[in-house]
Amino acid sequence: SRLRAFKGTLKSLYIWKCLSVRGNLMEMADFPRLKELELYGTPVTGDIRNIRSNDFPALESLNLPDTVQGGMKYEFRHVSEVPSFMHTVHLLSQRTPALFSKHYLLSTGLGWTLSEDSPDWYEKDECEFPYPPFHLQFVRAGSRRGWSWCSSNGEYSCEINWLDPEPNSGSGDYGTYIEELQGVEHFVGFYRGYYQPPTEAEYRRLIED
């Protein structure tokens, strides 16, 4: 990559919707001064799960295209893939809390969805029932973070997959956690008991019930 010539000095890289920019995300992992990396809309490839604790040591802001596994608006092929990506985002956010905040990426679950080409995907019922929960969202109650599958507007959510342990009942954060938890769980109704999208057969049974 021509960018290697700027390895020791490059601090910010903004390239949006430029199809001539190619390469792998990890080619810049050892850039010691790189703070901002914006590659949305480029055909750059890679996998965010390959980012290790010593990679991108100075990074403060990150926005990746959907050609990177785990990039913005990435579409998952299988439901079973998602937990490992969520774990990676959580670790990156712990290292750099504001890493994804510049474009409010976490509030929309990075735009992640289940691909319509996935063998786990199916059509919504024709009646006025909730859409299948094929979108993803990050949630927070107090200092505790988690994620869930949800409908496209977030109105119907599966159970929360927590990434952090529950705060101690004696901690100063516990009251806030309980209060905000009620708001989070308000959207868990139709899909209560499901931590991932129900299968099509399960979805049809929920509708019949």
Side-chain angles (χ1 to χ4, degrees):
S1 171
R2 295 178 182 178
L3 288 173
R4 299 297 298 178
F6 304 97
K7 173 184 173 181
T9 58
L10 188 64
K11 294 182 178 180
S12 300
L13 181 62
Y14 298 89
I15 303 176
W16 278 58
K17 299 181 179 180
C18 180
L19 300 181
S20 63
V21 175
R22 300 182 180 276
N24 189 286
L25 164 70
M26 300 307 294
E27 292 175 14
M28 293 177 283
D30 61 346
F31 281 33
R33 305 183 70 185
L34 184 61
K35 293 184 176 182
E36 297 175 293
L37 182 57
E38 308 277 336
L39 297 172
Y40 184 71
T42 70
V44 169
T45 60
D47 187 328
I48 65 169
R49 293 173 298 180
N50 292 334
I51 301 177
R52 305 306 178 199
S53 59
N54 59 336
D55 293 329
F56 300 100
L59 200 62
E60 298 176 357
S61 178
L62 180 65
N63 190 359
L64 299 172
D66 60 6
T67 47
V68 171
Q69 295 184 56
M72 184 67 173
K73 297 184 179 180
Y74 181 69
E75 296 183 354
F76 290 93
R77 176 68 178 167
H78 299 282
V79 167
S80 59
E81 295 175 328
V82 174
S84 63
F85 283 88
M86 290 296 184
H87 178 68
T88 294
V89 169
H90 186 51
L91 292 178
L92 291 173
S93 296
Q94 286 181 318
R95 188 181 83 171
T96 310
L99 187 63
F100 301 100
S101 64
K102 186 172 183 179
H103 301 285
Y104 307 101
L105 301 182
L106 284 185
S107 64
T108 59
L110 297 174
W112 288 351
T113 62
L114 183 68
S115 171
E116 291 188 12
D117 294 327
S118 167
D120 301 322
W121 191 91
Y122 49 85
E123 290 278 1
K124 173 189 179 295
D125 186 79
E126 295 179 357
C127 299
E128 294 299 319
F129 282 94
Y131 279 87
F134 291 153
H135 291 251
L136 287 148
Q137 64 179 356
F138 290 90
V139 299
R140 184 168 184 168
S143 61
R144 193 182 192 191
R145 298 182 180 184
W147 62 275
S148 72
W149 291 92
C150 63
S151 57
S152 57
N153 59 4
E155 184 176 357
Y156 296 92
S157 172
C158 290
E159 299 276 7
I160 309 303
N161 298 279
W162 292 107
L163 296 163
D164 296 314
E166 184 176 54
N168 188 288
S169 59
S171 68
D173 180 55
Y174 190 72
T176 301
Y177 163 69
I178 293 299
E179 180 179 350
E180 295 182 356
L181 180 63
Q182 293 175 351
V184 169
E185 292 189 334
H186 171 75
F187 298 98
V188 181
F190 188 80
Y191 295 113
R192 188 167 299 280
Y194 289 90
Y195 288 84
Q196 63 182 32
T199 64
E200 183 172 8
E202 291 170 333
Y203 175 71
R204 305 301 172 197
R205 283 198 297 269
L206 284 171
I207 291 173
E208 292 173 0
D209 294 342

